[in-house]
Amino acid sequence: MSVHLSEEEQLEVLKRWWKDYGRTVIITVLVAVVGYFGYTTWQDQKRQKAEKASEVYEQLLKLANAEPGKVLTDSDKATITHLAGELKDGNSESMYAHSAAFFLAKLAVEDNKLDVAVTELKWVLSAKPEAATEQLARLRLARVLTAQKAYDDALAQLLPEPAAAFTSEYAEARGDILKLQGDLDAARTAFEKALAATDPQQQERYMLLQMKVNDLKVEGPVPAASAEEKAQ
């Protein structure tokens, strides 16, 4: 008896196997093919979307980063607002969208529309951006809230400990707020922290912070000899 199947037997086995599993194989292949083409289509759409966002952002940059001394016209501002809105609507999670909101907040501050600036910066935070973008948004929001004299809300934005790159700016912002609130000791401590975290090579910033510290320095106790002299 041969241990090998005859051609007829092999064909019969193949027919039975196909009957039992053929449909599953076809479905599996179809799913794989559809999945592959669906993925590549999604990738193409994603790439095209990113390219379009990049082009829109470039247009926004050209308008927003005006030449020194050039004042943006109402038409320029309207175009920037439109382009920024397009980026925000396109993908709220993208860096383009977050940067667009920062531009809108900047324009609003320049036009003294602080409520609008607050809304834009809170929108960035609501989009749950990466850590660096979130910390920058909190810092700028704290500055705007300070301008609105919402000091407690401003301090709340600065509560999360920032990355080292933001340590100096956060501490300075806290110092400015605390000084406005009249807490001069705490303000001086904050300015000292900001100064310690600043590279002396940043001369202008370093000198500014040193001035803020010096302005709040408390005179030490009067020496006994001097006190006696004053009493005479």
Side-chain angles (χ1 to χ4, degrees):
M1 178 175 168
S2 173
V3 296
H4 299 289
L5 297 176
S6 66
E7 290 185 5
E8 290 80 3
E9 289 172 326
Q10 291 177 6
L11 183 59
E12 187 60 31
V13 169
L14 182 60
K15 287 180 179 179
R16 287 201 300 269
W17 182 89
W18 184 256
K19 181 179 180 181
D20 294 337
Y21 302 106
R23 183 177 179 183
T24 301
V25 171
I26 292 174
I27 293 174
T28 301
V29 171
L30 286 175
V31 169
V33 171
V34 171
Y36 170 76
F37 283 107
Y39 176 76
T40 54
T41 299
W42 175 76
Q43 287 285 70
D44 288 342
Q45 291 176 342
K46 185 178 179 181
R47 176 179 53 77
Q48 292 171 4
K49 190 174 183 180
E51 289 176 352
K52 181 180 179 182
S54 178
E55 292 174 0
V56 172
Y57 187 68
E58 285 294 328
Q59 295 176 47
L60 190 154
L61 279 179
K62 288 179 181 178
L63 282 173
N65 293 335
E67 297 177 3
K70 179 183 177 182
V71 179
L72 292 175
T73 65
D74 289 340
S75 177
D76 290 335
K77 293 178 181 179
T79 302
I80 289 174
T81 300
H82 172 74
L83 294 173
E86 188 176 333
L87 288 170
K88 289 172 62 181
D89 292 339
N91 183 1
S92 64
E93 298 178 356
S94 74
M95 282 296 297
Y96 292 125
H98 304 158
S99 296
F102 282 137
F103 275 119
L104 291 178
K106 181 176 180 292
L107 280 181
V109 169
E110 291 172 353
D111 289 340
N112 200 31
K113 298 178 180 178
L114 301 184
D115 287 341
V116 175
V118 168
T119 298
E120 291 298 334
L121 294 169
K122 285 185 174 180
W123 180 88
V124 175
L125 293 174
S126 70
K128 300 187 183 303
E130 61 180 24
T133 301
E134 177 187 347
Q135 291 169 17
L136 178 60
R138 287 188 180 280
L139 177 61
R140 293 186 179 180
L141 179 56
R143 292 294 192 189
V144 177
L145 291 171
T146 300
Q148 291 182 316
K149 298 183 179 181
Y151 302 135
D152 290 338
D153 290 341
L155 285 174
Q157 293 300 325
L158 302 172
L159 281 178
E161 191 64 27
F166 288 100
T167 297
S168 179
E169 286 80 1
Y170 265 54
E172 182 187 10
R174 287 194 193 96
D176 289 336
I177 298 167
L178 292 167
K179 182 179 178 180
L180 289 169
Q181 289 182 314
D183 193 345
L184 302 187
D185 288 341
R188 185 180 67 256
T189 299
F191 289 143
E192 288 173 344
K193 180 178 180 180
L195 183 64
T198 300
D199 185 347
Q201 296 297 324
Q202 297 176 276
Q203 294 183 3
E204 290 186 10
R205 175 166 175 74
Y206 194 87
M207 291 175 61
L208 174 63
L209 290 172
Q210 186 66 68
M211 289 174 58
K212 289 186 176 184
V213 171
N214 293 342
D215 286 345
L216 295 179
K217 276 189 175 179
V218 178
E219 295 295 335
V222 178
S226 298
E228 291 174 359
E229 291 174 358
K230 289 183 178 180
Q232 291 178 352

